[in-house]
């Protein structure tokens, strides 16, 4: 399947919202702010940030936070997600987030946003090849 093409407006909104979401990061331990914004098939956007915890394993990444907000509002189909940090690299999602997001489709676009707004766009298929997903348990995609 060919890559989904975002409109300029969708791309700009995802970039802006992910950069803004960093402001809500709760990261007193790592001091590494991450912001994310996800776009649903209904053209709605949900922001997320990383939320850490004194019991480190209880923290959540920005990407999963954004997805969980959307899923808990009834969304199961996603077009794209953007993620931003404060450092000068393209922020690739961690392995747990890749697996979490792949549940909802490997054609989802992942926009890796640098703080100067430059982006690198990849699909989840590229980020998590040969993934384990719903079909491995005989289920169809949500
Ligand atoms: N983090 C994310 O929010 N997303 C990722 O994909 C990588 C890591 C967060 C988790 C933790 O709060 C901080 O960044 C440092 O690992």
């Amino acid at each position: 399947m060919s890559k989904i093409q975002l409109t300029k407006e969708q791309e700009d909104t995802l970039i802006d919202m992910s950069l803004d979401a960093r402001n809500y990061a709760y990261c007193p331990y790592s001091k590494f702010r991450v912001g994310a914004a996800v776009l649903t098939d209904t053209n709605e956007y949900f922001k997320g940030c990383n939320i850490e915890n004194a019991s480190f394993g209880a923290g959540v990444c920005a990407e999963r936070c954004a997805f969980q907000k959307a899923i808990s509002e009834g969304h199961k189909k996603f077009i794209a997600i953007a993620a931003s940090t404060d450092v000068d690299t393209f922020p690739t999602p961690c392995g747990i987030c890749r697996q979490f997001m792949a549940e909802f489709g490997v054609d989802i676009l992942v926009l890796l946003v640098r703080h100067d707004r430059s982006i690198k766009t990849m699909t989840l298929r590229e980020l998590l090849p040969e993934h384990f997903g719903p079909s491995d348990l005989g289920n169809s995609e949500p």
Side-chain angles (χ1 to χ4, degrees):
M1 183 173 173
S2 59
K3 269 193 189 179
I4 300 161
Q5 190 64 46
L6 295 178
T7 66
K8 177 90 178 89
E9 190 188 345
Q10 287 172 324
E11 191 176 284
D12 283 343
T13 304
L14 282 167
I15 293 169
D16 288 342
M17 288 181 77
S18 76
L19 289 166
D20 180 57
R22 292 175 308 175
N23 294 317
Y24 306 104
Y26 175 73
C27 51
Y29 307 104
S30 71
K31 308 212 170 11
F32 187 80
R33 300 191 312 164
V34 187
V38 68
L39 170 64
T40 69
D41 67 331
T42 53
N43 212 39
E44 289 167 79
Y45 297 86
F46 292 84
K47 288 194 286 193
C49 61
N50 55 330
I51 306 171
E52 297 183 349
N53 193 279
S55 175
F56 293 171
V60 68
C61 291
E63 294 89 333
R64 273 175 291 145
C65 177
F67 261 73
Q68 286 167 0
K69 282 173 66 181
I71 295 160
S72 62
E73 296 288 334
H75 299 279
K76 288 190 184 61
K77 293 196 184 298
F78 302 97
I79 308 294
I81 181 165
S84 310
T85 67
D86 295 321
V87 297
D88 198 17
T89 53
F90 293 110
T92 55
C94 80
I96 298 173
C97 287
R98 292 178 199 205
Q99 177 65 30
F100 184 96
M101 296 189 288
E103 178 79 12
F104 299 92
V106 287
D107 294 311
I108 296 170
L109 295 178
V110 183
L111 278 60
L112 315 174
V113 185
R114 281 203 323 204
H115 63 265
D116 67 358
R117 292 180 59 87
S118 57
I119 59 169
K120 181 174 174 184
T121 304
M122 301 184 73
T123 62
L124 268 173
R125 191 191 307 283
E126 291 166 333
L127 286 164
L128 193 66
E130 306 295 332
H131 79 291
F132 181 81
S135 64
D136 292 296
L137 296 179
N139 285 27
S140 49
E141 231 172 58

